[in-house]
Amino acid sequence: MKSYFGSLPNGNEVYKYKLTNGYMSVEIISYGGIITNINAPNSKGKDTDVVLGFNTLDQYIGEHPYFGAIIGRYGNRIANGKFSLNGIDYQLAINNGKNSLHGGLIGFDKVSWSVKELNNNGDPGIKLTYFSKDMEEGYPGNLQIDVTYILTKENELKFFYEAITDTLTIINLTNHSYFNLGGESSGDILDHFVSINANSYLPVDENLIPTGEIRNVKNTPFDFIEMKKIGLEIEIQNNQLIYGKGYDHCWVLNDYGEGIRKIAEVNNLATGINMEVYSDQPGVQFYTGNFLEGSLKSKELKKYEKRSGFCLETQHFPDSPNQPSFPNVILDPDKKYETQTWYKFSTKKY
Ligand code: GLA
């Protein structure tokens, strides 16, 4: 279902698309490919909106930390916005301290996507397309990107990312939804239970750039192998948690290279809403909304205070173009970039 959502200052119209499957619904706008709402029933059958977002286009155009958006060309940080490819040095826009974050000043979260509605064997979906020109935001290569969202009968919201380029470039696409399985206006996410299928994570320096070390999570606050409350160890005085102001790190997922596998699960005891995450990616940035500070208004007009949402951004490792030991993020003109991530919703009591 398609409806008019508003117009951008340049006159471009923005539409909202609603995918429903009888159990839950997902709403997406053509600006930034932003997921504005995910409504899923709680254990009592009451519809609960589990993603942070806004009611109006103006708020999405304004300042906000990437709520619900498609992130690219390079999700996460590139140190000093510099990298080199084929002997050529590139300089990206610096928009996060000394670094380039999430694609630069006008990343894929701030552009209009063309949208085609789909029916995938009875499952509703949309395909979003964007053409990013050679040297846009400093990245080489004309890049054609397709992102497909499908809502299945099994209550999975599936994301399929595809891209092709005409020149060697780098790419790392993800989605930046902030979840709160207690409801988007229900306060902080500290009592959610989370598990992440990762035996190690990437420690960072004070600028949140990975040091290159791959550190075992054992006996650290980063151990989420078993379901653990987000809030249990988040305030421990540990350099890593101080740098991130909480969790804002990339976990090194187990079984990379073996296709799509379950990488994380989250549960909210109050609503019983459960979310499983599946992906073929090597990493996930688990970010606990540490930089939210009450200036943004929720859909129910409450304040989004610190840690009122969490993100599980499936991706390649931050700063990979400058870290030869990390899996490679180079896209060759002869190859196609393809990756997928699924979020599966249910209710479950732990
Ligand atoms: C990412 C980063 C965080 C923060 C948010 C947006 O998840 O890792 O540090 O910048 O985006 O606020």
Side-chain angles (χ1 to χ4, degrees):
M1 213 169 60
K2 173 179 175 182
S3 57
Y4 174 75
F5 190 59
S7 291
L8 298 175
N10 67 6
N12 274 2
E13 294 184 339
V14 175
Y15 289 89
K16 187 182 236 187
Y17 297 82
K18 186 169 184 178
L19 314 179
T20 50
N21 69 356
Y23 176 84
M24 59 179 289
S25 67
V26 179
E27 290 165 65
I28 305 124
I29 57 172
S30 48
Y31 178 73
I34 293 173
I35 296 182
T36 58
N37 306 69
I38 298 182
N39 275 295
N42 67 13
S43 52
K44 296 196 177 100
K46 186 174 178 287
D47 257 358
T48 309
D49 186 351
V50 296
V51 284
L52 275 53
F54 305 121
N55 297 319
T56 65
L57 180 61
D58 279 356
Q59 289 165 288
Y60 282 113
I61 299 170
E63 285 258 314
H64 67 93
Y66 307 93
F67 279 176
I70 299 173
I71 304 295
R73 287 189 196 191
Y74 198 90
N76 219 314
R77 294 176 176 78
I78 296 184
N80 306 310
K82 287 187 197 304
F83 68 100
S84 60
L85 210 50
N86 245 355
I88 305 171
D89 293 335
Y90 294 97
Q91 177 67 59
L92 305 171
I94 305 299
N95 61 340
N96 181 256
K98 296 157 109 181
N99 305 318
S100 185
L101 174 70
H102 293 336
L105 298 175
I106 305 180
F108 295 171
D109 57 300
K110 294 182 187 67
V111 301
S112 288
W113 292 72
S114 312
V115 183
K116 211 173 108 198
E117 292 178 87
L118 300 176
N119 180 321
N120 188 58
N121 299 319
D123 292 335
I126 57 172
K127 182 178 198 163
L128 300 107
T129 301
Y130 179 67
F131 183 80
S132 171
K133 291 204 190 81
D134 184 35
M135 294 314 287
E136 186 173 308
E137 296 296 317
Y139 294 93
N142 288 298
L143 188 74
Q144 165 82 32
I145 311 109
D146 290 326
V147 181
T148 304
Y149 297 157
I150 292 178
L151 180 62
T152 72
K153 296 171 195 65
E154 287 74 39
N155 306 318
E156 296 142 334
L157 172 60
K158 294 191 173 179
F159 299 74
F160 299 91
Y161 301 87
E162 294 163 273
I164 49 171
T165 179
D166 61 0
T167 311
L168 208 62
T169 192
I170 58 167
I171 186 166
N172 189 25
L173 305 181
T174 190
N175 176 275
H176 210 304
S177 287
Y178 287 68
F179 297 95
N180 186 329
L181 304 183
E184 56 94 29
S185 291
S186 68
D188 72 56
I189 43 77
L190 295 175
D191 58 2
H192 284 60
F193 279 84
V194 174
S195 68
I196 304 176
N197 185 21
N199 294 338
S200 32
Y201 79 104
L202 301 175
V204 292
D205 65 16
E206 68 277 15
N207 298 312
L208 298 184
I209 296 293
T211 59
E213 179 190 348
I214 293 184
R215 190 179 291 171
N216 201 298
V217 294
K218 229 189 166 106
N219 301 319
T220 77
F222 294 82
D223 185 351
F224 282 95
I225 287 285
E226 305 286 341
M227 277 290 207
K228 182 172 87 183
K229 261 195 190 175
I230 295 179
L232 190 69
E233 295 161 325
I234 201 168
E235 295 296 352
I236 283 182
Q237 292 298 298
N238 151 312
N239 266 352
Q240 288 300 312
L241 290 173
I242 292 169
Y243 291 157
K245 297 199 161 50
Y247 296 109
D248 190 0
H249 297 75
C250 188
W251 269 251
V252 178
L253 296 169
N254 296 340
D255 307 319
Y256 175 51
E258 294 178 21
I260 189 143
R261 76 284 196 214
K262 184 167 147 183
I263 61 122
E265 183 161 353
V266 190
N267 187 271
N268 181 273
L269 286 184
T271 58
I273 296 179
N274 200 73
M275 184 175 86
E276 291 168 63
V277 188
Y278 296 80
S279 181
D280 55 13
Q281 288 279 343
V284 67
Q285 183 84 5
F286 176 45
Y287 169 56
T288 46
N290 313 310
F291 302 124
L292 295 169
E293 31 63 38
S295 60
L296 299 169
K297 283 260 170 64
S298 78
K299 287 173 256 183
E300 289 179 16
L301 309 181
K302 301 221 169 93
K303 287 181 178 166
Y304 284 133
E305 301 284 2
K306 186 172 177 187
R307 301 188 179 142
S308 48
F310 67 88
C311 305
L312 282 165
E313 306 157 53
T314 56
Q315 57 188 247
H316 268 259
F317 303 166
D319 198 35
S320 295
N322 298 309
Q323 308 242 8
S325 66
F326 289 173
N328 124 36
V329 291
I330 298 170
L331 181 63
D332 201 283
D334 298 335
K335 301 252 168 62
K336 187 173 180 185
Y337 171 85
E338 282 181 290
T339 174
Q340 52 181 306
T341 291
W342 312 345
Y343 295 95
K344 181 177 166 74
F345 295 88
S346 62
T347 56
K348 199 162 171 178
K349 275 272 169 253
Y350 276 91

